Amino acid sequence: MSANEDQEMELEALRSIYEGDESFRELSPVSFQYRIGENGDPKAFLIEVSWTETYPQTAPIISMNAFFNNTISSAVKQSILAKLQEEVEVNLGTAMTYTLFEYAKDNKEQFMENHHPVNSMTSISNITSVETPNPAPSSKKKDKKEQLSKTQKRKLADKTDHKGELPRGWNWVDVVKHLSKTGSKDDE
């Protein structure tokens, strides 16, 4: 069989195996992504496998450059890719995309044992630092409202109704100016 026939058969098999699987995504007829782990799992990662012209006689291109993997350190990514590459060498000459995805699923814990989310520490410290000063600005805003003079308060009250909303037609001068500049169809 030619490489193209092998690819067509594997493509059909992948589509039937992963039909309805939310973790699997066909990017093109020769490029596939699979999410190892559940959504929200800090140890979940995404593998992308792309077939070359001569696949399966030659190795597919395996990538972990997806945005989904941005919290995984490059050392862990390299480790996972090296282990997947070993699996590729064993299966060279046969359809291996399904095998690679299953191998990654079976060995997820081993792959991610040294994983420490890169951005999680900074986001936790950001959350802490953001939450700490929040009460102070809200009290400052209250102070600013209390500092209005009686005259300022009266002017504010005169502009709005008792609900704090502007009365209907408050910007009629702006509307008239706009219509006079654009010219309505009635003028023609």
Side-chain angles (χ1 to χ4, degrees):
M1 270 202 245
S2 72
N4 283 345
E5 290 172 347
D6 285 342
Q7 288 180 11
E8 286 175 23
M9 286 180 59
E10 186 172 2
L11 178 60
E12 285 179 37
L14 287 171
R15 285 176 176 163
S16 66
I17 290 169
Y18 292 117
E19 184 179 350
D21 188 342
E22 293 179 5
S23 297
F24 178 77
R25 191 162 154 215
E26 182 180 331
L27 302 175
S28 74
V30 294
S31 186
F32 311 92
Q33 280 184 343
Y34 197 84
R35 184 184 69 237
I36 311 299
E38 296 299 315
N39 260 343
D41 180 357
K43 291 191 174 189
F45 58 94
L46 198 69
I47 296 175
E48 186 174 323
V49 175
S50 301
W51 298 343
T52 58
E53 292 274 327
T54 54
Y55 170 85
Q57 274 55 42
T58 57
I61 300 163
I62 304 171
S63 168
M64 289 187 68
N65 293 334
F67 181 76
F68 187 86
N69 297 331
N70 70 344
T71 61
I72 301 172
S73 70
S74 59
V76 172
K77 286 182 194 176
Q78 292 303 321
S79 169
I80 293 171
L81 290 172
K83 290 172 183 166
L84 288 171
Q85 203 59 45
E86 290 172 12
E87 197 65 20
V88 166
E89 300 300 323
V90 172
N91 291 298
L92 208 55
T94 63
M96 68 182 89
T97 305
Y98 171 79
T99 308
L100 291 173
F101 290 155
E102 291 303 306
Y103 176 75
K105 283 198 308 193
D106 294 342
N107 294 293
K108 175 187 159 221
E109 290 304 317
Q110 178 190 350
F111 287 174
M112 299 301 279
E113 66 188 354
N114 295 325
H115 170 63
H116 304 289
V118 174
N119 292 339
S120 69
M121 288 302 173
T122 54
S123 64
I124 289 171
S125 64
N126 285 346
I127 289 169
T128 309
S129 64
V130 167
E131 287 178 3
T132 307
N134 269 352
S138 63
S139 64
K140 286 181 183 176
K141 287 181 183 176
K142 289 179 184 175
D143 292 344
K144 285 183 180 177
K145 285 185 179 178
E146 292 172 11
Q147 292 177 358
L148 292 176
S149 69
K150 281 187 176 181
T151 310
Q152 290 171 326
K153 289 179 184 176
R154 245 186 246 122
K155 285 183 182 177
L156 188 62
D158 289 343
K159 288 182 187 175
T160 60
D161 61 7
H162 68 283
K163 294 179 185 174
E165 296 176 3
L166 294 168
R168 183 172 176 226
W170 68 273
N171 63 346
W172 65 271
V173 174
D174 294 336
V175 172
V176 171
K177 281 182 189 175
H178 173 73
L179 289 175
S180 66
K181 286 180 185 175
T182 58
S184 66
K185 292 189 179 188
D186 296 341
D187 293 341
E188 291 178 10

